[in-house]
Amino acid sequence: MNLRTKYNIPSNSVITIAGTVGVGKSTLTNALADALQFRTSFEKVDTNPYLDKFYHDFSRWSFHLQVYFLAERFKEQKRIFEYGGGFIQDRSIYEDTGIFARMHYEKGTMSEVDYETYTSLFEAMVMTPYFPHPDLLIYLEGSLEDILQRIDRRGREMEKQTPIDYWKEMHGRYEKWIDSFSACPVLRLNINEYDAIAGSQSIEPIIEKIGTILQHKNNSKKA
């Protein structure tokens, strides 16, 4: 019996993994997809035409980057649900407005006009009854020190050259954001409490928690 069947996880489930840069979203995405026999949906970093420019000049490129992410994530979310589900998704569409766009507006690296344009676009696209929200959001959390070490080990030059204050700011905003997130059920995992590359022994307890939450969600719908 595979783990998906063992813990009664519907084959059309869509599970999104959220968390700050370097927290291990991609690694867990692959591990869960392998264990559940689901497909993966990854953020397209290498083909993003704004990302390198953004890290060199936040003020000039923050609006362009956020609109690009919004469009790409919206198209991907639509594709996932048209396919019929059965996906583990690396990063959520909700983080873009709840963390990144708001942070740049409040810190002065996105103008008020650009921020209002972006948020109204987000609300028109996402915050409607027609947008297909995921069945579960897994939030990966850890200390700032642990996350900075992971960023350093990953070795992306544009991230390593980014001031530590930026990562500190983002870490704090993620913690505030998840406390008020309500678009779908949330499972919080501390990155020090599992090893996503250690195989089923580490992943199975996570899948058991996923199954419990999804069953509770489905039972609530029937009630």
Side-chain angles (χ1 to χ4, degrees):
M1 180 184 296
N2 63 44
L3 293 177
R4 176 162 51 83
T5 303
K6 181 177 180 179
Y7 294 107
N8 297 312
I9 296 173
S11 60
N12 64 346
S13 299
V14 176
I15 299 170
T16 297
I17 300 179
T20 188
V21 172
V23 80
K25 296 183 296 297
S26 298
T27 301
L28 186 60
T29 295
N30 279 321
L32 287 177
D34 287 345
L36 295 174
Q37 300 175 359
F38 277 5
R39 294 172 178 82
T40 58
S41 172
F42 284 103
E43 184 178 36
K44 297 178 177 65
V45 174
D46 294 337
T47 59
N48 189 318
Y50 298 109
L51 199 57
D52 284 342
K53 298 175 182 177
F54 163 76
Y55 276 110
H56 285 96
D57 190 342
F58 292 162
S59 298
R60 174 69 179 85
W61 297 105
S62 61
F63 176 72
H64 299 74
L65 182 72
Q66 293 307 136
V67 170
Y68 177 86
F69 274 138
L70 178 60
E72 291 300 306
R73 294 198 216 287
F74 185 86
K75 288 188 291 184
E76 182 66 3
Q77 197 81 354
K78 184 171 178 287
R79 183 185 75 85
I80 286 171
F81 280 86
E82 287 175 346
Y83 200 94
F87 276 83
I88 307 295
Q89 187 178 31
D90 177 2
R91 192 183 288 281
S92 76
I93 197 170
Y94 312 101
E95 294 157 81
D96 287 328
T97 185
I99 297 170
F100 294 96
R102 179 175 294 177
M103 178 173 71
H104 286 293
Y105 167 62
E106 292 179 353
K107 293 182 73 65
T109 51
M110 182 184 291
S111 72
E112 183 174 359
V113 171
D114 283 349
Y115 181 68
E116 289 177 356
T117 299
Y118 172 80
T119 51
S120 58
L121 182 62
F122 177 88
E123 289 169 5
M125 294 170 68
V126 178
M127 305 310 290
T128 72
Y130 311 105
F131 182 78
H133 299 284
D135 297 292
L136 174 68
L137 184 140
I138 298 176
Y139 177 69
L140 302 184
E141 56 190 352
S143 70
L144 177 63
E145 291 74 20
D146 287 339
I147 291 167
L148 289 175
Q149 288 178 8
R150 291 187 178 211
I151 290 173
D152 187 64
R153 285 199 302 267
R154 183 156 70 177
R156 289 181 183 167
E157 201 58 36
M158 61 185 177
E159 293 175 353
K160 291 172 69 175
Q161 292 178 0
T162 300
I164 290 177
D165 284 347
Y166 176 80
W167 302 125
K168 184 177 181 180
E169 175 88 11
M170 188 183 296
H171 182 267
R173 286 179 179 269
Y174 259 98
E175 292 297 303
K176 291 179 182 178
W177 168 76
I178 196 60
D179 286 339
S180 60
F181 179 80
S182 60
C184 68
V186 174
L187 169 60
R188 299 178 72 139
L189 295 177
N190 190 290
I191 60 175
N192 291 319
E193 295 177 359
Y194 66 91
D195 182 355
I197 62 175
S200 59
Q201 184 176 3
S202 181
I203 291 298
E204 185 167 355
I206 298 175
I207 293 175
E208 183 177 6
K209 292 177 182 179
I210 292 171
T212 300
I213 293 173
L214 293 182
Q215 288 175 49
H216 177 74
K217 177 186 177 185
N218 291 334
N219 290 337
S220 298
K221 284 183 178 180
K222 295 175 184 177

